[in-house]
Amino acid sequence: MQKNITARYPSNIALVKYWGKYGNQLPCNPSVSLTLQKAFTETKLRISEKREKGTAVAFFFEGKPKKDFGERMLRFLKAQPEFAGLLTNFSIVVDTHNSFPHSAGIASSASAFAAITAAFLKASQTEITDFKQKASSLARLGSGSACRSFYGPFSLWGKLTEIQGSSDQFAVPLLDIHPDFRSMRDTILIVEDAPKKVSSSAGHALMNNHPYADARFKDAVKHCGELISALKHGDFSSFISITEREALSLHAMMMTSKEYYLLMRPQTVQIIEQVFQFRQETQLPLCFTLDAGSSVHLLYPASIQEQVQGFWANGTDKGIKSFIEDESGLGGMII
Ligand code: DP6
């Protein structure tokens, strides 16, 4: 017997940032994200009868074995009782590939853990009343941001009084979205090819005993409420100020932690200033966000795509190495 399952799940970009965690992968503050569409991970499981004793899972990333990736995935899978039956009784080959290049400023752990969780959950054939919620809750244990990739175009992870059913354990979709926000673009401007300097886990840990932690967590709660209201009312002005302030707050936390570090490059700052200038000159709702890296995510509604295109078309003068054009999506699927 051989059974194949393929899961394709997207990455997401946080607008209100998750930065700081406690307990078993629980967030110190709620976060809101935009789900991407073209930046996804595809994970294929080839499941067959197991002959040998012990766990038999082989991991391939982009067609090749990749030790650290395989070890992290296996640790995650083994820690979930839901997957114990599969791991005990079957031999599994896991083939994973990303639609986007490595170190592109796209959270690959978000799409990777969303895809592997969905694939294993589907394969485990347990009775599940809400597949997405269960998958979101499990994927969170692999990488926090992964739990937001199951819904789109916007999702919320973390308990927020305004949103019924929201939880620190899993993400929920934001359902009340103004038509103007239903079709968003995210153009990612890549300014360096270097891999991540500091892992997210190490970064989160630096929020323990951070002098500004309490103020940061309170600010994020407030920003989630305000952003959700902006998304509901089609309020681009609030959307822009919250999103940009969040991006800069995330980097401010990194710059002021005990072991401080700086991820923005001169080109990052230059692009940010050009976004401000573009907005002042055109009055168009273009804004930026940053992940834990030097790449700049340009966010704007699809309706102004043509006007914004000129902004990065001549990228060399901004020091842009390459760019990826993505857009909001509705989450992943088993294909
Ligand atoms: C800056 O989800 O990568 O992208 O839970 O340790 O895997 P782990 O962290 P991760 O952290 C993401 C941090 C962020 C902001 C965000 O996505 O909310």
Side-chain angles (χ1 to χ4, degrees):
M1 158 275 181
Q2 162 130 354
K3 193 166 131 191
N4 292 346
I5 290 177
T6 303
R8 179 188 286 179
Y9 278 74
S11 186
N12 66 75
I13 177 75
L15 305 173
V16 177
K17 310 292 183 181
Y18 146 56
W19 200 240
K21 59 178 162 178
Y22 69 97
N24 198 4
Q25 287 277 104
L26 296 165
C28 290
N29 64 261
S31 55
V32 173
S33 59
L34 174 77
T35 303
L36 300 179
Q37 193 182 121
K38 294 181 187 156
F40 59 79
T41 296
E42 208 169 271
T43 297
K44 182 175 179 180
L45 306 186
R46 277 180 283 142
I47 306 166
S48 52
E49 226 66 73
K50 186 151 74 82
R51 291 194 184 87
E52 66 271 51
K53 275 201 172 142
T55 311
V57 189
F59 291 91
F60 293 90
F61 181 75
E62 314 281 357
K64 295 189 202 110
K66 198 177 170 203
K67 200 162 172 274
D68 50 346
F69 171 80
E71 282 170 0
R72 184 173 173 193
M73 288 296 173
L74 192 58
R75 242 191 339 269
F76 161 69
L77 294 171
K78 278 183 164 175
Q80 314 316 322
E82 288 82 353
F83 303 149
L86 262 181
L87 295 176
T88 312
N89 301 318
F90 297 95
S91 176
I92 305 170
V93 177
V94 183
D95 253 316
T96 289
H97 76 259
N98 289 344
S99 66
F100 51 93
H102 194 55
S103 16
I106 294 175
S108 57
S109 68
S111 54
F113 277 98
I116 198 161
T117 303
F120 268 79
L121 198 57
K122 182 79 188 165
S124 69
Q125 287 179 325
T126 37
E127 278 294 310
I128 300 157
T129 43
D130 188 337
F131 182 87
K132 285 187 186 181
Q133 189 177 95
K134 180 73 189 168
S136 172
S137 166
L138 288 175
R140 184 199 95 233
L141 300 167
S143 180
S145 52
C147 76
R148 298 184 307 232
S149 282
F150 293 88
Y151 305 100
F154 297 94
S155 58
L156 163 72
W157 169 34
K159 182 81 199 136
L160 194 70
T161 34
E162 292 96 314
I163 301 292
Q164 231 194 346
S166 60
S167 165
D168 284 352
Q169 310 277 338
F170 48 79
V172 294
L174 289 172
L175 300 171
D176 208 352
I177 303 293
H178 190 277
D180 291 353
F181 277 113
R182 284 196 202 136
S183 189
M184 292 294 288
R185 296 278 190 261
D186 177 9
T187 301
I188 305 148
L189 307 182
I190 299 154
V191 302
E192 68 179 348
D193 300 325
K196 256 190 180 183
K197 283 186 210 128
V198 182
S199 76
S200 298
S201 290
H204 286 290
L206 289 171
M207 285 307 282
N208 300 329
N209 306 316
H210 192 294
Y212 305 141
D214 284 348
R216 161 67 202 146
F217 300 147
K218 273 196 202 122
D219 228 18
V221 172
K222 188 164 157 278
H223 285 166
C224 281
E226 288 169 355
L227 187 70
I228 290 168
S229 165
L231 293 172
K232 178 174 169 179
H233 296 108
D235 177 355
F236 273 100
S237 160
S238 301
F239 175 87
I240 289 169
S241 67
I242 297 160
T243 300
E244 293 188 342
R245 189 154 176 251
E246 273 291 319
L248 297 176
S249 298
L250 169 71
H251 283 251
M253 290 302 110
M254 297 166 179
M255 289 187 228
T256 49
S257 51
K258 200 161 176 217
E259 284 158 50
Y260 51 88
Y261 56 107
L262 188 65
L263 298 181
M264 286 189 227
R265 308 306 306 142
Q267 303 93 307
T268 315
V269 177
Q270 193 190 338
I271 295 167
I272 291 173
E273 285 179 338
Q274 286 168 346
V275 169
F276 293 155
Q277 197 187 339
F278 178 92
R279 207 160 58 225
Q280 202 173 29
E281 284 168 10
T282 63
Q283 299 298 309
L284 292 170
L286 167 71
C287 70
F288 73 87
T289 190
L290 306 168
D291 204 3
S294 58
S295 302
V296 182
H297 290 244
L298 297 179
L299 301 172
Y300 51 97
S303 56
I304 63 162
Q305 178 160 12
E306 250 174 57
Q307 295 98 304
V308 176
Q309 214 137 24
F311 184 85
W312 75 86
N314 182 14
T316 43
D317 66 329
K318 295 183 178 64
I320 298 167
K321 290 240 158 60
S322 57
F323 61 85
I324 295 173
E325 292 181 88
D326 209 335
E327 58 196 82
S328 51
L330 299 176
M333 61 192 150
I334 303 286
I335 48 177

